[in-house]
Amino acid sequence: MRNSRALAAVVAAGAVVGLAAPTATAWTGPSNIVAMPSVIARGGQLTVTVDSCEAPGSVESPAFPKTHLNAIPGGNTSSATVTVHHHARPGAYDITAHCNGKPLTRPHAFTVIHGAARGGLGGSSSSGATGTDMAIGGALVTAALVGGGVFWMRRRAENRA
């Protein structure tokens, strides 16, 4: 009796997988949207790549106009280079791809910032050290000099004794 139940469960699971497989392979729409760079200034150029999307297709966003995708040779991936509107408000934007008559939207695909991205500064947006930074640095240097002087004076006193 146990064997028949186990066999029935295996057959039912196989039937579910067998019926779902044709449905999974029938999807020919876009599967992934990538925007590079993910943070961009207004007026900058953004490269959008869409997987499982053979041309013709298009991408659009409130931050840039609808743009046609170009197929990348050697696969079923397409890409487009778009220019972000100069009047785009700072914030996160979605991208919608239309391929083979099927849409796909990636929420918060990229972020528009007000000014130019400051690469190599670790995210710093100031142009130099502030007064507080200078005070902290000066206090640390002073503490190091005083500590070194005390250490040197104690070592000198130990050598005399």
Side-chain angles (χ1 to χ4, degrees):
M1 181 109 168
R2 286 185 182 176
N3 288 339
S4 62
R5 284 184 189 169
L7 182 61
V10 169
V11 169
V16 168
V17 170
L19 291 173
T23 305
T25 58
W27 173 259
T28 58
S31 64
N32 188 29
I33 301 172
V34 177
M36 291 303 288
S38 61
V39 176
I40 190 163
R42 297 185 284 190
Q45 287 195 329
L46 186 71
T47 301
V48 180
T49 306
V50 183
D51 294 336
S52 301
C53 180
E54 298 173 7
S58 63
V59 290
E60 62 184 333
S61 173
F64 59 80
K66 184 174 185 176
T67 306
H68 294 286
L69 290 163
N70 299 312
I72 297 175
N76 62 350
T77 302
S78 297
S79 72
T81 301
V82 300
T83 302
V84 175
H85 294 303
H86 289 282
H87 57 78
R89 291 185 179 197
Y93 285 90
D94 301 348
I95 296 177
T96 300
H98 299 278
C99 298
N100 305 325
K102 296 178 182 167
L104 175 67
T105 299
R106 177 163 181 223
H108 309 292
F110 66 101
T111 302
V112 174
I113 59 174
H114 180 57
R118 297 177 57 105
L121 297 176
S124 173
S125 61
S126 65
S127 60
T130 64
T132 304
D133 295 336
M134 296 296 284
I136 292 170
L140 290 172
V141 169
T142 302
L145 289 173
V146 168
V150 169
F151 177 77
W152 182 71
M153 294 296 284
R154 290 188 70 191
R155 295 286 289 177
R156 191 171 159 206
E158 288 177 5
N159 288 339
R160 286 187 189 172

